[in-house]
Amino acid sequence: MYEALFTRSGAGGVVDYWQQVTYGTLDLTGSRVFGWLPMSHGTAEIAEIADLTFPGDRARLAAWGREAAHVAGIDLTPYRSVLVVQNRGPDHGATASGDVVIVHTDPGLCEFGFICHEMGRGFGLPHSYAHPDIGYGDGWDLMSFASTTFQCPIAFRGASGAATVGLNAHNLLRLDVIDPSRRWTLAHPDVSATVVLDPLNQPAIGSRGALVLELLPSATRPARPDGSTWTSSSTNGPDGTRPSRPMR
């Protein structure tokens, strides 16, 4: 199950998720699953850190996984980051170094959306916000899982859980996975134009236009949503209010 979930393309796991949401750019080929490996840290020691300081001490859990690999003679240096699956623990998620800890105690549960979210943190993506400063507030972005995002049931190799949405424009740009030809940027601060945008996370629909519209910081006439187009010709949206999120 773990090899299919984390390393195999075409298996319906996280490899396929990251390939699809990054237009085939982010390729996890070469990832490997090692283990199960015994740790030298037992349940008593885990109980002692049950009140660990969040999230700093999470790195200790990841270090235990790396230590177990080292003892088993596994060289982890070729890998960008490590995802440690433990069958017991007080906390899980991403660490500051990019490693990820997943506590998997229920064989019938696959926390697909949560795992992808924490992998996103490992890839350097921040939590996404709603305007102006509401953390986990973008219902259309993985990096707001699971506070505001849509969630859909998923089954994987006999386990079930929740999948979620793709990535917003900001995070796709941060990963540098959008072809420059599909980034429409205003040449001047004040331009009147209609731009047809393709949906970010439905590449099968086609390539009719740009994926991202980028406004200059000095623009005084922000874009507004108008059906499937974005029009940079009015300071107000269709309901008379100024849009708070001109790009998705």
Side-chain angles (χ1 to χ4, degrees):
M1 174 179 175
Y2 290 103
E3 288 183 343
L5 181 65
F6 292 111
T7 69
R8 292 180 189 167
S9 178
V14 298
V15 176
D16 293 335
Y17 172 85
W18 285 106
Q19 285 178 335
Q20 290 175 17
V21 300
T22 63
Y23 317 108
T25 302
L26 189 54
D27 186 357
L28 299 182
T29 300
S31 300
R32 291 189 61 190
V33 171
F34 304 97
W36 292 92
L37 304 173
M39 294 195 308
S40 59
H41 306 274
T43 55
E45 189 170 355
I46 291 176
E48 291 177 0
I49 63 167
D51 57 348
L52 83 172
T53 303
F54 173 83
D57 284 347
R58 186 183 289 162
R60 193 189 318 179
L61 305 177
W64 288 358
R66 284 183 171 272
E67 178 187 280
H70 177 74
V71 171
I74 299 169
D75 181 13
L76 297 178
T77 56
Y79 302 97
R80 169 177 171 171
S81 57
V82 173
L83 188 148
V84 178
V85 180
Q86 298 175 343
N87 62 3
R88 185 167 180 177
D91 183 43
H92 58 178
T95 70
S97 67
D99 287 346
V100 175
V101 177
I102 300 295
V103 176
H104 190 185
T105 60
D106 181 358
L109 174 66
C110 179
E111 295 185 280
F112 194 94
F114 173 78
I115 291 170
C116 291
H117 170 89
E118 297 302 335
M119 288 180 72
R121 295 287 292 144
F123 294 146
L125 299 180
H127 293 148
S128 50
Y129 282 71
H131 181 79
D133 56 0
I134 302 173
Y136 290 91
D138 189 341
W140 295 97
D141 183 62
L142 170 70
M143 301 315 294
S144 281
F145 182 85
S147 300
T148 57
T149 57
F150 294 97
Q151 297 180 55
C152 16
I154 189 172
F156 185 84
R157 300 295 178 94
S160 60
T164 186
V165 297
L167 294 168
N168 65 17
H170 173 80
N171 283 323
L172 289 169
L173 291 172
R174 191 180 183 94
L175 289 174
D176 194 25
V177 298
I178 297 182
D179 189 288
S181 66
R182 305 197 70 184
R183 296 168 60 173
W184 196 93
T185 304
L186 291 173
H188 305 287
D190 294 296
V191 174
S192 178
T194 298
V195 183
V196 177
L197 296 179
D198 275 347
L200 282 176
N201 294 292
Q202 298 185 50
I205 287 180
S207 55
R208 299 170 300 166
L211 289 168
V212 174
L213 184 150
E214 297 174 281
L215 303 179
L216 298 176
S218 56
T220 58
R221 296 153 67 99
R224 65 175 174 85
D226 184 13
S228 61
T229 64
W230 294 81
T231 306
S232 178
S233 60
S234 173
T235 56
N236 295 329
D239 58 356
T241 61
R242 291 179 63 97
S244 61
R245 296 189 61 78
M247 181 173 72
R248 189 178 296 286

